[in-house]
PDB file of all heavy atoms in Angstrom:
ATOM      1  N   LEU A 176      19.158   8.945 -10.328  1.00 94.00           N
ATOM      2  CA  LEU A 176      17.963   8.256  -9.726  1.00 94.00           C
ATOM      3  C   LEU A 176      17.001   9.299  -9.130  1.00 94.00           C
ATOM      4  O   LEU A 176      17.446  10.151  -8.516  1.00 94.00           O
ATOM      5  CB  LEU A 176      18.227   7.193  -8.754  1.00 94.00           C
ATOM      6  CG  LEU A 176      19.177   6.119  -9.320  1.00 94.00           C
ATOM      7  CD1 LEU A 176      19.646   5.189  -8.204  1.00 94.00           C
ATOM      8  CD2 LEU A 176      18.397   5.157 -10.396  1.00 94.00           C
ATOM      9  N   LEU A 177      15.658   9.101  -9.298  1.00 95.00           N
ATOM     10  CA  LEU A 177      14.701  10.078  -8.873  1.00 95.00           C
ATOM     11  C   LEU A 177      14.314   9.753  -7.491  1.00 95.00           C
ATOM     12  O   LEU A 177      14.007  10.660  -6.583  1.00 95.00           O
ATOM     13  CB  LEU A 177      13.395  10.079  -9.697  1.00 95.00           C
ATOM     14  CG  LEU A 177      13.560  10.424 -11.190  1.00 95.00           C
ATOM     15  CD1 LEU A 177      12.200  10.296 -11.878  1.00 95.00           C
ATOM     16  CD2 LEU A 177      14.178  11.723 -11.329  1.00 95.00           C
ATOM     17  N   GLY A 178      14.455   8.449  -6.985  1.00 93.00           N
ATOM     18  CA  GLY A 178      13.939   8.091  -5.618  1.00 93.00           C
ATOM     19  C   GLY A 178      14.029   6.614  -5.368  1.00 93.00           C
ATOM     20  O   GLY A 178      14.583   5.855  -6.325  1.00 93.00           O
ATOM     21  N   VAL A 179      13.684   6.052  -4.339  1.00 93.00           N
ATOM     22  CA  VAL A 179      13.784   4.730  -3.948  1.00 93.00           C
ATOM     23  C   VAL A 179      12.374   4.099  -3.562  1.00 93.00           C
ATOM     24  O   VAL A 179      11.545   4.705  -2.849  1.00 93.00           O
ATOM     25  CB  VAL A 179      14.792   4.563  -2.683  1.00 93.00           C
ATOM     26  CG1 VAL A 179      14.312   5.302  -1.560  1.00 93.00           C
ATOM     27  CG2 VAL A 179      14.993   2.992  -2.451  1.00 93.00           C
ATOM     28  N   GLU A 180      12.196   2.863  -4.038  1.00 94.00           N
ATOM     29  CA  GLU A 180      11.106   2.024  -3.719  1.00 94.00           C
ATOM     30  C   GLU A 180      11.584   0.636  -3.651  1.00 94.00           C
ATOM     31  O   GLU A 180      12.797   0.443  -3.714  1.00 94.00           O
ATOM     32  CB  GLU A 180       9.933   2.231  -4.646  1.00 94.00           C
ATOM     33  CG  GLU A 180      10.146   2.100  -6.048  1.00 94.00           C
ATOM     34  CD  GLU A 180      10.104   0.495  -6.529  1.00 94.00           C
ATOM     35  OE1 GLU A 180       8.956   0.118  -6.722  1.00 94.00           O
ATOM     36  OE2 GLU A 180      11.071  -0.053  -6.704  1.00 94.00           O
ATOM     37  N   MET A 181      10.762  -0.424  -3.657  1.00 95.00           N
ATOM     38  CA  MET A 181      11.243  -1.648  -3.184  1.00 95.00           C
ATOM     39  C   MET A 181      10.663  -2.798  -4.148  1.00 95.00           C
ATOM     40  O   MET A 181      10.994  -4.028  -3.821  1.00 95.00           O
ATOM     41  CB  MET A 181      10.877  -2.073  -1.764  1.00 95.00           C
ATOM     42  CG  MET A 181      11.488  -0.974  -0.787  1.00 95.00           C
ATOM     43  SD  MET A 181      10.866  -1.359   0.858  1.00 95.00           S
ATOM     44  CE  MET A 181      11.909  -2.787   1.250  1.00 95.00           C
ATOM     45  N   GLU A 182      10.025  -2.476  -5.297  1.00 98.00           N
ATOM     46  CA  GLU A 182       9.319  -3.473  -5.932  1.00 98.00           C
ATOM     47  C   GLU A 182       9.539  -3.558  -7.576  1.00 98.00           C
ATOM     48  O   GLU A 182       9.436  -4.634  -8.135  1.00 98.00           O
ATOM     49  CB  GLU A 182       7.897  -3.602  -5.605  1.00 98.00           C
ATOM     50  CG  GLU A 182       7.547  -3.999  -4.204  1.00 98.00           C
ATOM     51  CD  GLU A 182       7.582  -2.898  -3.194  1.00 98.00           C
ATOM     52  OE1 GLU A 182       7.529  -1.715  -3.700  1.00 98.00           O
ATOM     53  OE2 GLU A 182       7.654  -3.139  -1.995  1.00 98.00           O
ATOM     54  N   ALA A 183       9.660  -2.363  -8.205  1.00 98.00           N
ATOM     55  CA  ALA A 183       9.571  -2.341  -9.488  1.00 98.00           C
ATOM     56  C   ALA A 183      10.520  -3.253 -10.287  1.00 98.00           C
ATOM     57  O   ALA A 183      10.184  -3.785 -11.338  1.00 98.00           O
ATOM     58  CB  ALA A 183       9.786  -0.828 -10.004  1.00 98.00           C
ATOM     59  N   PHE A 184      11.780  -3.379  -9.808  1.00 98.00           N
ATOM     60  CA  PHE A 184      12.746  -4.233 -10.513  1.00 98.00           C
ATOM     61  C   PHE A 184      12.176  -5.674 -10.655  1.00 98.00           C
ATOM     62  O   PHE A 184      12.346  -6.207 -11.777  1.00 98.00           O
ATOM     63  CB  PHE A 184      14.007  -4.274  -9.744  1.00 98.00           C
ATOM     64  CG  PHE A 184      15.292  -4.827 -10.393  1.00 98.00           C
ATOM     65  CD1 PHE A 184      15.877  -4.268 -11.385  1.00 98.00           C
ATOM     66  CD2 PHE A 184      15.644  -6.143 -10.085  1.00 98.00           C
ATOM     67  CE1 PHE A 184      16.987  -4.894 -12.027  1.00 98.00           C
ATOM     68  CE2 PHE A 184      16.738  -6.702 -10.666  1.00 98.00           C
ATOM     69  CZ  PHE A 184      17.444  -6.081 -11.701  1.00 98.00           C
ATOM     70  N   ALA A 185      11.690  -6.225  -9.621  1.00 98.00           N
ATOM     71  CA  ALA A 185      11.026  -7.668  -9.743  1.00 98.00           C
ATOM     72  C   ALA A 185       9.900  -7.658 -10.619  1.00 98.00           C
ATOM     73  O   ALA A 185       9.833  -8.686 -11.500  1.00 98.00           O
ATOM     74  CB  ALA A 185      10.796  -8.169  -8.326  1.00 98.00           C
ATOM     75  N   LEU A 186       9.122  -6.692 -10.564  1.00 98.00           N
ATOM     76  CA  LEU A 186       7.856  -6.745 -11.552  1.00 98.00           C
ATOM     77  C   LEU A 186       8.307  -6.630 -13.011  1.00 98.00           C
ATOM     78  O   LEU A 186       7.846  -7.447 -13.821  1.00 98.00           O
ATOM     79  CB  LEU A 186       6.962  -5.584 -11.306  1.00 98.00           C
ATOM     80  CG  LEU A 186       5.817  -5.385 -12.190  1.00 98.00           C
ATOM     81  CD1 LEU A 186       4.881  -6.485 -12.210  1.00 98.00           C
ATOM     82  CD2 LEU A 186       5.027  -4.013 -11.813  1.00 98.00           C
ATOM     83  N   TYR A 187       9.365  -5.735 -13.297  1.00 98.00           N
ATOM     84  CA  TYR A 187       9.883  -5.660 -14.578  1.00 98.00           C
ATOM     85  C   TYR A 187      10.530  -7.028 -15.133  1.00 98.00           C
ATOM     86  O   TYR A 187      10.379  -7.494 -16.204  1.00 98.00           O
ATOM     87  CB  TYR A 187      10.731  -4.495 -14.817  1.00 98.00           C
ATOM     88  CG  TYR A 187      10.052  -3.147 -14.675  1.00 98.00           C
ATOM     89  CD1 TYR A 187      10.802  -2.036 -14.695  1.00 98.00           C
ATOM     90  CD2 TYR A 187       8.710  -2.948 -14.548  1.00 98.00           C
ATOM     91  CE1 TYR A 187      10.205  -0.774 -14.603  1.00 98.00           C
ATOM     92  CE2 TYR A 187       8.030  -1.849 -14.437  1.00 98.00           C
ATOM     93  CZ  TYR A 187       8.736  -0.608 -14.422  1.00 98.00           C
ATOM     94  OH  TYR A 187       8.242   0.534 -14.297  1.00 98.00           O
ATOM     95  N   ALA A 188      11.177  -7.627 -14.202  1.00 98.00           N
ATOM     96  CA  ALA A 188      11.944  -8.950 -14.471  1.00 98.00           C
ATOM     97  C   ALA A 188      10.971  -9.928 -14.833  1.00 98.00           C
ATOM     98  O   ALA A 188      10.999 -10.732 -15.759  1.00 98.00           O
ATOM     99  CB  ALA A 188      12.824  -9.352 -13.375  1.00 98.00           C
ATOM    100  N   ASN A 189       9.879 -10.013 -14.096  1.00 98.00           N
ATOM    101  CA  ASN A 189       8.758 -11.114 -14.275  1.00 98.00           C
ATOM    102  C   ASN A 189       8.083 -10.818 -15.443  1.00 98.00           C
ATOM    103  O   ASN A 189       7.703 -11.807 -16.233  1.00 98.00           O
ATOM    104  CB  ASN A 189       7.823 -11.038 -13.101  1.00 98.00           C
ATOM    105  CG  ASN A 189       8.288 -11.845 -11.975  1.00 98.00           C
ATOM    106  OD1 ASN A 189       9.264 -12.591 -12.073  1.00 98.00           O
ATOM    107  ND2 ASN A 189       7.718 -11.669 -10.828  1.00 98.00           N
ATOM    108  N   ALA A 190       7.791  -9.576 -15.886  1.00 98.00           N
ATOM    109  CA  ALA A 190       7.181  -9.205 -17.165  1.00 98.00           C
ATOM    110  C   ALA A 190       7.974  -9.651 -18.357  1.00 98.00           C
ATOM    111  O   ALA A 190       7.536 -10.211 -19.361  1.00 98.00           O
ATOM    112  CB  ALA A 190       6.937  -7.765 -17.249  1.00 98.00           C
TER     113      ALA A 190
END
Side-chain angles (χ1 to χ4, degrees):
L176 302 172
L177 303 179
V179 58
E180 55 86 76
M181 304 177 71
E182 291 88 15
F184 188 79
L186 175 60
Y187 292 175
N189 279 345

